[in-house]
PDB file of all heavy atoms in Angstrom:
ATOM      1  N   TYR M  22     167.603  10.874 234.143  1.00  0.00           N
ATOM      2  CA  TYR M  22     168.727  10.520 235.017  1.00  0.00           C
ATOM      3  C   TYR M  22     169.957  11.233 234.458  1.00  0.00           C
ATOM      4  O   TYR M  22     170.601  10.748 233.519  1.00  0.00           O
ATOM      5  CB  TYR M  22     168.905   8.999 234.997  1.00  0.00           C
ATOM      6  CG  TYR M  22     169.621   8.444 236.199  1.00  0.00           C
ATOM      7  CD1 TYR M  22     169.035   8.482 237.465  1.00  0.00           C
ATOM      8  CD2 TYR M  22     170.888   7.865 236.081  1.00  0.00           C
ATOM      9  CE1 TYR M  22     169.683   7.966 238.581  1.00  0.00           C
ATOM     10  CE2 TYR M  22     171.543   7.341 237.191  1.00  0.00           C
ATOM     11  CZ  TYR M  22     170.938   7.396 238.437  1.00  0.00           C
ATOM     12  OH  TYR M  22     171.587   6.878 239.539  1.00  0.00           O
ATOM     13  N   TRP M  56     161.358  15.624 235.063  1.00  0.00           N
ATOM     14  CA  TRP M  56     161.771  15.394 236.467  1.00  0.00           C
ATOM     15  C   TRP M  56     163.246  15.036 236.426  1.00  0.00           C
ATOM     16  O   TRP M  56     163.626  14.032 235.834  1.00  0.00           O
ATOM     17  CB  TRP M  56     160.921  14.288 237.086  1.00  0.00           C
ATOM     18  CG  TRP M  56     161.589  13.445 238.149  1.00  0.00           C
ATOM     19  CD1 TRP M  56     162.639  13.771 238.962  1.00  0.00           C
ATOM     20  CD2 TRP M  56     161.234  12.092 238.521  1.00  0.00           C
ATOM     21  NE1 TRP M  56     162.963  12.723 239.801  1.00  0.00           N
ATOM     22  CE2 TRP M  56     162.123  11.688 239.545  1.00  0.00           C
ATOM     23  CE3 TRP M  56     160.250  11.199 238.085  1.00  0.00           C
ATOM     24  CZ2 TRP M  56     162.056  10.416 240.135  1.00  0.00           C
ATOM     25  CZ3 TRP M  56     160.194   9.941 238.676  1.00  0.00           C
ATOM     26  CH2 TRP M  56     161.079   9.562 239.694  1.00  0.00           C
ATOM     27  N   ASP M  67     175.261   7.295 246.541  1.00  0.00           N
ATOM     28  CA  ASP M  67     174.019   6.770 245.984  1.00  0.00           C
ATOM     29  C   ASP M  67     173.574   7.679 244.828  1.00  0.00           C
ATOM     30  O   ASP M  67     172.406   8.068 244.741  1.00  0.00           O
ATOM     31  CB  ASP M  67     172.957   6.697 247.101  1.00  0.00           C
ATOM     32  CG  ASP M  67     171.681   5.985 246.652  1.00  0.00           C
ATOM     33  OD1 ASP M  67     171.713   5.293 245.618  1.00  0.00           O
ATOM     34  OD2 ASP M  67     170.651   6.136 247.345  1.00  0.00           O
ATOM     35  N   TYR M  70     171.456  10.772 245.584  1.00  0.00           N
ATOM     36  CA  TYR M  70     170.428  10.624 246.625  1.00  0.00           C
ATOM     37  C   TYR M  70     171.066  10.744 248.015  1.00  0.00           C
ATOM     38  O   TYR M  70     170.449  10.443 249.029  1.00  0.00           O
ATOM     39  CB  TYR M  70     169.630   9.327 246.450  1.00  0.00           C
ATOM     40  CG  TYR M  70     168.631   9.459 245.324  1.00  0.00           C
ATOM     41  CD1 TYR M  70     168.944   9.056 244.034  1.00  0.00           C
ATOM     42  CD2 TYR M  70     167.395  10.061 245.537  1.00  0.00           C
ATOM     43  CE1 TYR M  70     168.042   9.225 242.982  1.00  0.00           C
ATOM     44  CE2 TYR M  70     166.488  10.242 244.497  1.00  0.00           C
ATOM     45  CZ  TYR M  70     166.817   9.825 243.230  1.00  0.00           C
ATOM     46  OH  TYR M  70     165.929  10.009 242.207  1.00  0.00           O
ATOM     47  N   ASP M  71     172.303  11.173 248.024  1.00  0.00           N
ATOM     48  CA  ASP M  71     172.995  11.526 249.259  1.00  0.00           C
ATOM     49  C   ASP M  71     173.454  12.972 249.070  1.00  0.00           C
ATOM     50  O   ASP M  71     174.479  13.241 248.471  1.00  0.00           O
ATOM     51  CB  ASP M  71     174.179  10.577 249.521  1.00  0.00           C
ATOM     52  CG  ASP M  71     175.053  10.338 248.275  1.00  0.00           C
ATOM     53  OD1 ASP M  71     174.542  10.368 247.130  1.00  0.00           O
ATOM     54  OD2 ASP M  71     176.271  10.153 248.450  1.00  0.00           O
ATOM     55  N   ASP M 105     163.983  16.697 242.285  1.00  0.00           N
ATOM     56  CA  ASP M 105     163.927  15.626 243.262  1.00  0.00           C
ATOM     57  C   ASP M 105     164.281  16.208 244.637  1.00  0.00           C
ATOM     58  O   ASP M 105     165.263  16.932 244.762  1.00  0.00           O
ATOM     59  CB  ASP M 105     164.975  14.564 242.879  1.00  0.00           C
ATOM     60  CG  ASP M 105     164.494  13.150 243.110  1.00  0.00           C
ATOM     61  OD1 ASP M 105     164.014  12.883 244.224  1.00  0.00           O
ATOM     62  OD2 ASP M 105     164.613  12.320 242.191  1.00  0.00           O
ATOM     63  N   VAL M 107     165.273  15.130 248.448  1.00  0.00           N
ATOM     64  CA  VAL M 107     165.684  13.976 249.256  1.00  0.00           C
ATOM     65  C   VAL M 107     165.751  14.436 250.709  1.00  0.00           C
ATOM     66  O   VAL M 107     166.765  14.957 251.156  1.00  0.00           O
ATOM     67  CB  VAL M 107     167.053  13.441 248.785  1.00  0.00           C
ATOM     68  CG1 VAL M 107     167.347  12.102 249.437  1.00  0.00           C
ATOM     69  CG2 VAL M 107     167.091  13.316 247.270  1.00  0.00           C
ATOM     70  N   HIS M 110     167.002  11.769 254.409  1.00  0.00           N
ATOM     71  CA  HIS M 110     168.385  11.671 254.868  1.00  0.00           C
ATOM     72  C   HIS M 110     169.242  12.684 254.139  1.00  0.00           C
ATOM     73  O   HIS M 110     168.825  13.217 253.102  1.00  0.00           O
ATOM     74  CB  HIS M 110     168.933  10.263 254.609  1.00  0.00           C
ATOM     75  CG  HIS M 110     168.561   9.738 253.247  1.00  0.00           C
ATOM     76  ND1 HIS M 110     167.465   8.930 253.036  1.00  0.00           N
ATOM     77  CD2 HIS M 110     169.112   9.947 252.016  1.00  0.00           C
ATOM     78  CE1 HIS M 110     167.366   8.640 251.749  1.00  0.00           C
ATOM     79  NE2 HIS M 110     168.340   9.259 251.099  1.00  0.00           N
ATOM     80  N   PHE M 147     169.451  -1.193 251.850  1.00  0.00           N
ATOM     81  CA  PHE M 147     170.513  -1.718 250.981  1.00  0.00           C
ATOM     82  C   PHE M 147     171.196  -2.925 251.602  1.00  0.00           C
ATOM     83  O   PHE M 147     172.203  -3.414 251.100  1.00  0.00           O
ATOM     84  CB  PHE M 147     171.552  -0.633 250.679  1.00  0.00           C
ATOM     85  CG  PHE M 147     171.008   0.519 249.874  1.00  0.00           C
ATOM     86  CD1 PHE M 147     171.583   1.786 249.985  1.00  0.00           C
ATOM     87  CD2 PHE M 147     169.943   0.344 248.996  1.00  0.00           C
ATOM     88  CE1 PHE M 147     171.100   2.853 249.233  1.00  0.00           C
ATOM     89  CE2 PHE M 147     169.449   1.406 248.247  1.00  0.00           C
ATOM     90  CZ  PHE M 147     170.031   2.667 248.368  1.00  0.00           C
ATOM     91  N   PHE M 166     169.128   3.862 254.566  1.00  0.00           N
ATOM     92  CA  PHE M 166     169.752   3.462 253.298  1.00  0.00           C
ATOM     93  C   PHE M 166     171.250   3.239 253.559  1.00  0.00           C
ATOM     94  O   PHE M 166     171.588   2.576 254.524  1.00  0.00           O
ATOM     95  CB  PHE M 166     169.418   4.493 252.210  1.00  0.00           C
ATOM     96  CG  PHE M 166     167.922   4.470 251.917  1.00  0.00           C
ATOM     97  CD1 PHE M 166     167.041   5.263 252.652  1.00  0.00           C
ATOM     98  CD2 PHE M 166     167.395   3.599 250.987  1.00  0.00           C
ATOM     99  CE1 PHE M 166     165.660   5.192 252.443  1.00  0.00           C
ATOM    100  CE2 PHE M 166     166.023   3.515 250.768  1.00  0.00           C
ATOM    101  CZ  PHE M 166     165.163   4.313 251.496  1.00  0.00           C
ATOM    102  N   GLN M 170     174.269   7.723 254.386  1.00  0.00           N
ATOM    103  CA  GLN M 170     173.007   8.468 254.257  1.00  0.00           C
ATOM    104  C   GLN M 170     172.263   8.495 255.599  1.00  0.00           C
ATOM    105  O   GLN M 170     171.228   7.836 255.760  1.00  0.00           O
ATOM    106  CB  GLN M 170     172.115   7.818 253.185  1.00  0.00           C
ATOM    107  CG  GLN M 170     172.631   7.977 251.755  1.00  0.00           C
ATOM    108  CD  GLN M 170     171.901   7.092 250.758  1.00  0.00           C
ATOM    109  OE1 GLN M 170     171.916   5.873 250.894  1.00  0.00           O
ATOM    110  NE2 GLN M 170     171.270   7.676 249.756  1.00  0.00           N
ATOM    111  N   ARG M 200     159.475  15.910 243.112  1.00  0.00           N
ATOM    112  CA  ARG M 200     159.293  14.483 243.365  1.00  0.00           C
ATOM    113  C   ARG M 200     159.981  14.233 244.705  1.00  0.00           C
ATOM    114  O   ARG M 200     161.133  14.612 244.900  1.00  0.00           O
ATOM    115  CB  ARG M 200     159.960  13.680 242.248  1.00  0.00           C
ATOM    116  CG  ARG M 200     159.918  12.162 242.424  1.00  0.00           C
ATOM    117  CD  ARG M 200     161.164  11.645 243.112  1.00  0.00           C
ATOM    118  NE  ARG M 200     161.205  10.198 243.186  1.00  0.00           N
ATOM    119  CZ  ARG M 200     162.137   9.519 243.834  1.00  0.00           C
ATOM    120  NH1 ARG M 200     163.103  10.151 244.476  1.00  0.00           N
ATOM    121  NH2 ARG M 200     162.121   8.215 243.852  1.00  0.00           N
ATOM    122  N   ASP M 202     161.530  12.017 247.446  1.00  0.00           N
ATOM    123  CA  ASP M 202     162.165  10.722 247.654  1.00  0.00           C
ATOM    124  C   ASP M 202     161.725  10.077 248.974  1.00  0.00           C
ATOM    125  O   ASP M 202     161.656  10.755 250.007  1.00  0.00           O
ATOM    126  CB  ASP M 202     163.686  10.960 247.680  1.00  0.00           C
ATOM    127  CG  ASP M 202     164.488   9.691 247.649  1.00  0.00           C
ATOM    128  OD1 ASP M 202     164.387   8.958 246.656  1.00  0.00           O
ATOM    129  OD2 ASP M 202     165.216   9.431 248.621  1.00  0.00           O
ATOM    130  N   VAL M 203     161.472   8.792 248.934  1.00  0.00           N
ATOM    131  CA  VAL M 203     161.066   7.992 250.114  1.00  0.00           C
ATOM    132  C   VAL M 203     160.414   8.824 251.234  1.00  0.00           C
ATOM    133  O   VAL M 203     160.816   8.744 252.394  1.00  0.00           O
ATOM    134  CB  VAL M 203     162.224   7.135 250.677  1.00  0.00           C
ATOM    135  CG1 VAL M 203     162.567   6.016 249.723  1.00  0.00           C
ATOM    136  CG2 VAL M 203     163.475   7.929 250.984  1.00  0.00           C
ATOM    137  N   GLU M 243     157.269   9.537 246.591  1.00  0.00           N
ATOM    138  CA  GLU M 243     157.603   8.121 246.507  1.00  0.00           C
ATOM    139  C   GLU M 243     157.214   7.505 247.842  1.00  0.00           C
ATOM    140  O   GLU M 243     157.899   7.686 248.840  1.00  0.00           O
ATOM    141  CB  GLU M 243     159.100   7.938 246.247  1.00  0.00           C
ATOM    142  CG  GLU M 243     159.459   6.477 246.011  1.00  0.00           C
ATOM    143  CD  GLU M 243     160.941   6.180 246.169  1.00  0.00           C
ATOM    144  OE1 GLU M 243     161.654   6.965 246.815  1.00  0.00           O
ATOM    145  OE2 GLU M 243     161.377   5.155 245.666  1.00  0.00           O
ATOM    146  N   ASN M 313     161.465   3.341 236.285  1.00  0.00           N
ATOM    147  CA  ASN M 313     162.187   4.450 236.893  1.00  0.00           C
ATOM    148  C   ASN M 313     163.636   4.036 237.109  1.00  0.00           C
ATOM    149  O   ASN M 313     164.024   2.937 236.710  1.00  0.00           O
ATOM    150  CB  ASN M 313     161.504   4.949 238.186  1.00  0.00           C
ATOM    151  CG  ASN M 313     161.565   3.941 239.315  1.00  0.00           C
ATOM    152  OD1 ASN M 313     162.540   3.189 239.450  1.00  0.00           O
ATOM    153  ND2 ASN M 313     160.534   3.907 240.141  1.00  0.00           N
ATOM    154  N   HIS M 314     164.405   4.926 237.733  1.00  0.00           N
ATOM    155  CA  HIS M 314     165.843   4.677 237.853  1.00  0.00           C
ATOM    156  C   HIS M 314     166.188   3.592 238.873  1.00  0.00           C
ATOM    157  O   HIS M 314     167.357   3.278 239.055  1.00  0.00           O
ATOM    158  CB  HIS M 314     166.531   5.986 238.249  1.00  0.00           C
ATOM    159  CG  HIS M 314     166.105   6.456 239.613  1.00  0.00           C
ATOM    160  ND1 HIS M 314     164.860   7.015 239.847  1.00  0.00           N
ATOM    161  CD2 HIS M 314     166.712   6.382 240.813  1.00  0.00           C
ATOM    162  CE1 HIS M 314     164.745   7.282 241.132  1.00  0.00           C
ATOM    163  NE2 HIS M 314     165.851   6.906 241.745  1.00  0.00           N
ATOM    164  N   ASP M 315     165.200   3.059 239.573  1.00  0.00           N
ATOM    165  CA  ASP M 315     165.465   1.996 240.555  1.00  0.00           C
ATOM    166  C   ASP M 315     165.065   0.622 240.051  1.00  0.00           C
ATOM    167  O   ASP M 315     165.249  -0.375 240.744  1.00  0.00           O
ATOM    168  CB  ASP M 315     164.667   2.253 241.848  1.00  0.00           C
ATOM    169  CG  ASP M 315     165.148   3.473 242.596  1.00  0.00           C
ATOM    170  OD1 ASP M 315     166.352   3.786 242.517  1.00  0.00           O
ATOM    171  OD2 ASP M 315     164.320   4.117 243.263  1.00  0.00           O
ATOM    172  N   ASP M 371     176.204   0.487 241.200  1.00  0.00           N
ATOM    173  CA  ASP M 371     175.240   0.876 242.222  1.00  0.00           C
ATOM    174  C   ASP M 371     175.659   0.433 243.628  1.00  0.00           C
ATOM    175  O   ASP M 371     176.121  -0.687 243.821  1.00  0.00           O
ATOM    176  CB  ASP M 371     173.880   0.252 241.852  1.00  0.00           C
ATOM    177  CG  ASP M 371     172.789   0.606 242.838  1.00  0.00           C
ATOM    178  OD1 ASP M 371     172.966   1.583 243.600  1.00  0.00           O
ATOM    179  OD2 ASP M 371     171.767  -0.099 242.841  1.00  0.00           O
ATOM    180  N   VAL M 372     175.454   1.317 244.590  1.00  0.00           N
ATOM    181  CA  VAL M 372     175.790   1.038 245.992  1.00  0.00           C
ATOM    182  C   VAL M 372     175.052  -0.217 246.477  1.00  0.00           C
ATOM    183  O   VAL M 372     175.600  -1.032 247.218  1.00  0.00           O
ATOM    184  CB  VAL M 372     175.483   2.277 246.881  1.00  0.00           C
ATOM    185  CG1 VAL M 372     174.016   2.694 246.806  1.00  0.00           C
ATOM    186  CG2 VAL M 372     175.866   2.060 248.340  1.00  0.00           C
ATOM    187  N   ARG M 399     169.690  -2.216 240.066  1.00  0.00           N
ATOM    188  CA  ARG M 399     169.243  -0.874 239.674  1.00  0.00           C
ATOM    189  C   ARG M 399     170.066  -0.286 238.528  1.00  0.00           C
ATOM    190  O   ARG M 399     169.637   0.660 237.874  1.00  0.00           O
ATOM    191  CB  ARG M 399     169.273   0.056 240.883  1.00  0.00           C
ATOM    192  CG  ARG M 399     168.475  -0.482 242.081  1.00  0.00           C
ATOM    193  CD  ARG M 399     168.207   0.583 243.100  1.00  0.00           C
ATOM    194  NE  ARG M 399     169.432   1.169 243.631  1.00  0.00           N
ATOM    195  CZ  ARG M 399     169.456   2.150 244.528  1.00  0.00           C
ATOM    196  NH1 ARG M 399     168.324   2.655 244.985  1.00  0.00           N
ATOM    197  NH2 ARG M 399     170.603   2.630 244.974  1.00  0.00           N
ATOM    198  N   ARG M 403     170.179   2.489 234.491  1.00  0.00           N
ATOM    199  CA  ARG M 403     171.034   3.661 234.704  1.00  0.00           C
ATOM    200  C   ARG M 403     172.151   3.756 233.689  1.00  0.00           C
ATOM    201  O   ARG M 403     173.081   4.542 233.849  1.00  0.00           O
ATOM    202  CB  ARG M 403     171.616   3.610 236.110  1.00  0.00           C
ATOM    203  CG  ARG M 403     170.540   3.677 237.159  1.00  0.00           C
ATOM    204  CD  ARG M 403     171.100   3.628 238.556  1.00  0.00           C
ATOM    205  NE  ARG M 403     170.025   3.724 239.540  1.00  0.00           N
ATOM    206  CZ  ARG M 403     170.214   3.787 240.832  1.00  0.00           C
ATOM    207  NH1 ARG M 403     171.443   3.768 241.319  1.00  0.00           N
ATOM    208  NH2 ARG M 403     169.189   3.876 241.661  1.00  0.00           N
TER     209      ARG M 403
HETATM  210  C1  LIG Q   1     164.657   6.279 246.547  1.00  0.00           C
HETATM  211  C2  LIG Q   1     165.418   6.546 245.279  1.00  0.00           C
HETATM  212  C3  LIG Q   1     166.614   5.645 245.242  1.00  0.00           C
HETATM  213  C4  LIG Q   1     167.483   5.956 246.435  1.00  0.00           C
HETATM  214  C5  LIG Q   1     166.700   5.864 247.728  1.00  0.00           C
HETATM  215  C6  LIG Q   1     167.435   6.509 248.868  1.00  0.00           C
HETATM  216  O1  LIG Q   1     164.123   5.009 246.565  1.00  0.00           O
HETATM  217  O2  LIG Q   1     164.581   6.417 244.176  1.00  0.00           O
HETATM  218  O3  LIG Q   1     167.333   5.771 244.058  1.00  0.00           O
HETATM  219  O4  LIG Q   1     168.562   5.078 246.501  1.00  0.00           O
HETATM  220  O5  LIG Q   1     165.465   6.524 247.640  1.00  0.00           O
HETATM  221  O6  LIG Q   1     167.490   7.895 248.686  1.00  0.00           O
END
Side-chain angles (χ1 to χ4, degrees):
Y22 203 67
W56 149 25
D67 188 16
Y70 284 94
D71 46 329
D105 219 309
V107 191
H110 43 265
F147 295 153
F166 294 88
Q170 290 168 300
R200 177 267 185 186
D202 190 63
V203 290
E243 186 198 20
N313 68 34
H314 65 286
D315 292 329
D371 181 18
V372 59
R399 306 195 301 179
R403 297 180 179 184

